[in-house]
Amino acid sequence: MKLTAQFGFKALQNMLALALFALGASTLAFAQPSGAWPTQKPIRLIAVFPPGGSVDQVARILAPALQAELKQNVIVENIGGASGVIGTSAMTRSDPDGYTFAVVFDTHGVNPSLKDKLPYDTIKDIAPVILVGTSPMVLVASKNSGITSFKQLVDQSKAGKKFSYGSIGIGSLGHLAMARLAKQAGFDWNHIPYRGGGPLMQDALGGQVELAVGSEFLVKPHIESGGVIPLVITTAKRSPALPNVPTISESGFPGFSAPAWWAVLAPGKTPPAVIDAMNKALNKALKNPAVAAKFKAQGIEVVGGSPETLRDFIGKQIAIWGKFVIENNIKETAQ
């Protein structure tokens, strides 16, 4: 595993600022919406990764349910790139009038410590809305790799074979989880970053990459179709959706846990009343049996809750994975 060095002081400053975010120590100047909400225009839901990945799919499950709850059109717009930063930046630059939100992935909690400079302030420019859910990540093998079990992968890695694995990007939770596993086990794996789940799975299905790690939401359809071979999942307990796939923890690495997660965010100056209304609408949508069934079928455990729940959750994720990034001098390189 090659981890890039030269962790910047700016990233450390971002980490300290985010610690304050986790404690809720932020003050926001709130804009006032013009007219009633949401009756002015369609609501824009930015998916911060390209089409075909889990963020895109989560957004497209939420959109019609939200539309039914709010009696207003909800339009999904994909703005991918830079592990979610480009789409998140587009959200923060939008008017904080309650008509633009973003669906983000677990990379959101890592980007401030990974990148030297973000085009937005994670505290002032972003308001948490809701934690949609969490899911195991699954390490899968291409049919062309010759790997059919995690034990086989471990044995060959210990024997010195250097495998390549793909993730949705440098600093993604999939990348960091496999980097932690490789470090703990002494493997020398090569990481190949992709620009989203769609391109990653295309190469895994085609055999261009030997291993791929992605959310259960992303890889399960390809497991069911026989396109890839599931090896292991990253959560502490087995997934009901993939009961025959062992956990990393039970496969020789006790205590290992790294769930994927999705959340909805808003521009930082969005009025509190709008945040509250959107949170309530999302909670209702997540409790809709049809919506819940779609998420469950893909291995996503719905969480919901308040904006404060999301704020605390992100703070904990930053503490865990930001520390790993710093300690291991992981640095983003050109993709």
Side-chain angles (χ1 to χ4, degrees):
M1 174 61 58
K2 295 182 179 179
L3 301 177
T4 313
Q6 299 179 349
F7 182 82
F9 179 69
K10 177 62 178 177
L12 182 57
Q13 288 180 316
N14 283 334
M15 283 292 297
L16 293 174
L18 281 163
L20 294 177
F21 175 79
L23 295 173
S26 61
T27 57
L28 300 175
F30 298 108
Q32 294 300 319
S34 55
W37 185 90
T39 59
Q40 289 185 309
K41 54 186 177 182
I43 292 172
R44 182 184 180 210
L45 194 60
I46 296 174
V48 302
F49 277 85
S54 65
V55 172
D56 175 58
Q57 294 178 62
V58 166
R60 293 183 189 280
I61 288 175
L62 289 176
L66 268 177
Q67 187 164 305
E69 289 292 335
L70 296 172
K71 312 301 180 187
Q72 182 62 273
N73 289 336
V74 179
I75 300 171
V76 175
E77 180 179 353
N78 294 90
I79 304 180
S83 297
V85 170
I86 294 176
T88 303
S89 178
M91 182 268 293
T92 63
R93 295 196 308 271
S94 301
D95 291 336
D97 55 4
Y99 291 92
T100 301
F101 297 85
V103 177
V104 300
F105 194 43
D106 47 50
T107 55
H108 181 77
V110 180
N111 285 333
S113 58
L114 183 73
K115 302 175 185 294
D116 281 335
K117 186 176 181 180
L118 292 175
Y120 49 81
D121 186 303
T122 310
I123 298 173
K124 296 179 180 179
D125 297 338
I126 297 173
V129 179
I130 199 169
L131 177 59
V132 175
T134 63
S135 168
M137 287 183 292
V138 189
L139 179 64
V140 299
S142 164
K143 283 188 170 183
N144 296 340
S145 69
I147 297 297
T148 59
S149 71
F150 186 62
K151 183 180 185 304
Q152 182 187 12
L153 175 64
V154 170
D155 289 344
Q156 292 191 21
S157 296
K158 286 183 176 179
K161 184 171 181 180
K162 186 174 182 178
F163 287 92
S164 294
Y165 73 92
S167 79
I168 64 167
I170 295 174
S172 67
L173 202 58
H175 170 212
L176 297 184
M178 292 302 100
R180 192 173 83 179
L181 174 63
K183 181 181 179 182
Q184 185 175 343
F187 301 155
D188 187 19
W189 287 352
N190 180 47
H191 175 232
I192 301 175
Y194 285 79
R195 295 183 181 275
L200 169 63
M201 293 314 299
Q202 284 181 356
D203 274 11
L205 292 168
Q208 283 78 33
V209 63
E210 296 169 298
L211 306 168
V213 58
S215 68
E216 186 178 289
F217 192 97
L218 172 65
V219 305
K220 186 171 178 286
H222 304 294
I223 292 172
E224 292 176 337
S225 70
V228 293
I229 301 167
L231 303 179
V232 75
I233 65 172
T234 64
T235 43
K237 296 181 180 180
R238 291 197 184 198
S239 167
L242 296 171
N244 296 322
V245 181
T247 68
I248 291 176
S249 181
E250 70 182 86
S251 302
F253 303 91
F256 193 100
S257 181
W261 55 272
W262 298 262
V264 176
L265 306 176
K269 295 181 180 180
T270 303
V274 171
I275 296 290
D276 182 61
M278 185 63 161
N279 174 268
K280 288 179 179 177
L282 282 164
N283 271 306
K284 288 182 180 179
L286 292 174
K287 292 176 182 177
N288 181 305
V291 172
K294 288 179 182 179
F295 283 133
K296 182 178 180 181
Q298 299 298 336
I300 289 184
E301 181 179 355
V302 170
V303 177
S306 68
E308 290 73 27
T309 297
L310 175 57
R311 178 182 292 115
D312 292 343
F313 179 86
I314 292 178
K316 290 177 181 177
Q317 291 295 304
I318 289 167
I320 294 170
W321 296 107
K323 180 180 179 182
F324 183 83
V325 167
I326 293 173
E327 290 179 347
N328 292 277
N329 296 320
I330 297 176
K331 187 69 175 176
E332 185 176 51
T333 56
Q335 296 188 26

